[in-house]
Amino acid sequence: MKGAVFTGLAEFVEKHYSLTDWLEAIDACELPSNGEFLATEIYDDDEFFQIAGALSKQLNTPAPDLYRAFGKYFFETLLSLTIKHVEHIDELFEFIRAVDSIIHTEVQKADPLAYTPTLLYDQPSDDALVVRYMSKRKMCHFAEGLILGAAEHFNQKVELCQNQCMLEGDEHCLIRIQKQ
Ligand code: HEM
């Protein structure tokens, strides 16, 4: 996984908790990187899952809540990397659709070693969008957080629910975004 995600997580923990919490979590893990991350490098996914697991335990926060909060926080950082490709978009669902067709495609072009999830879309009505999420990483709660960050960015109130989830043994996750 891209180092930028690790450095983003470190920043999130320092801002919302403390630097001590981050250092304690790093200490509790066995990391080939020793917990020193560069945004442009790629690190083993396992390092991310180890740190997230340690944080969840230490902060007494269920992992899905931690992933969601981090995703929401991290959205603006990710957006700033890609702004020129999507600056014409001013509506939430149009933006979410562009994540697979434009944003992650550009990420892949810029760095063939990057791995991004597959997102497919189904729109059952004007005010609902269902995102089908598939990834070897099963980070659907991070995806939910990014969606919540995007909703805030576009000033759109939403409610999310998952009717199917890879973490529950389903083949993919179905994240339903309902506009309020
Ligand atoms: C609502 C919006 C978005 C959603 C739902 C989304 C979804 C995700 C998820 C869930 C991951 C974690 C990896 C995985 O699941 O396998 C990810 C990774 C990533 N996304 Fe997105 N994303 C969004 C917006 C963006 C934006 C705006 C950018 C800007 C360039 C971006 C670039 C990336 C990058 C660089 C990674 C890491 C790839 C790697 O580690 O190799 N995403 N995305």
Side-chain angles (χ1 to χ4, degrees):
M1 192 177 315
K2 286 237 178 213
V5 187
F6 290 83
T7 54
L9 182 64
E11 199 183 281
F12 165 75
V13 173
E14 284 173 39
K15 273 207 178 133
H16 289 79
Y17 301 94
S18 71
L19 175 60
T20 313
D21 284 314
W22 173 255
L23 295 174
E24 259 177 40
I26 295 296
D27 263 357
C29 303
E30 287 186 14
L31 307 172
S33 67
N34 289 321
E36 289 160 18
F37 301 107
L38 292 174
T40 47
E41 293 288 315
I42 290 195
Y43 301 90
D44 206 76
D45 290 354
D46 178 62
E47 295 208 27
F48 190 84
F49 298 130
Q50 274 198 58
I51 299 170
L55 284 169
S56 161
K57 213 165 156 188
Q58 183 183 311
L59 301 170
N60 213 1
T61 305
D65 293 349
L66 196 66
Y67 277 97
R68 217 178 276 116
F70 170 49
K72 190 170 178 198
Y73 168 83
F74 197 48
F75 175 77
E76 290 293 338
T77 307
L78 278 181
L79 184 64
S80 67
L81 303 175
T82 192
I83 204 87
K84 73 174 166 27
H85 297 293
V86 287
E87 62 190 357
H88 60 287
I89 298 179
D90 61 3
E91 193 273 329
L92 178 65
F93 286 175
E94 196 190 336
F95 179 86
I96 301 286
R97 285 176 179 280
V99 173
D100 198 74
S101 60
I102 302 176
I103 298 176
H104 284 167
T105 310
E106 290 298 328
V107 169
Q108 258 352 113
K109 266 197 229 163
D111 183 354
L113 289 179
Y115 170 95
T116 53
T118 300
L119 305 173
L120 300 169
Y121 308 94
D122 182 29
Q123 188 150 8
S125 69
D126 280 355
D127 54 6
L129 181 71
V130 179
V131 180
R132 184 183 302 237
Y133 165 91
M134 278 169 281
S135 165
K136 63 175 182 182
R137 295 183 181 138
K138 303 183 184 172
M139 287 171 66
C140 54
H141 297 111
F142 178 61
E144 284 188 7
L146 288 170
I147 292 168
L148 292 173
E152 197 169 83
H153 179 84
F154 290 105
N155 269 323
Q156 175 66 60
K157 283 205 169 12
V158 295
E159 251 173 37
L160 304 185
C161 72
Q162 269 199 65
N163 297 330
Q164 290 185 35
C165 180
M166 296 177 88
L167 297 170
E168 306 286 334
D170 293 314
E171 259 175 39
H172 47 240
C173 302
L174 288 182
I175 306 170
R176 185 186 171 95
I177 312 168
Q178 181 71 50
K179 284 186 180 171
Q180 299 296 293

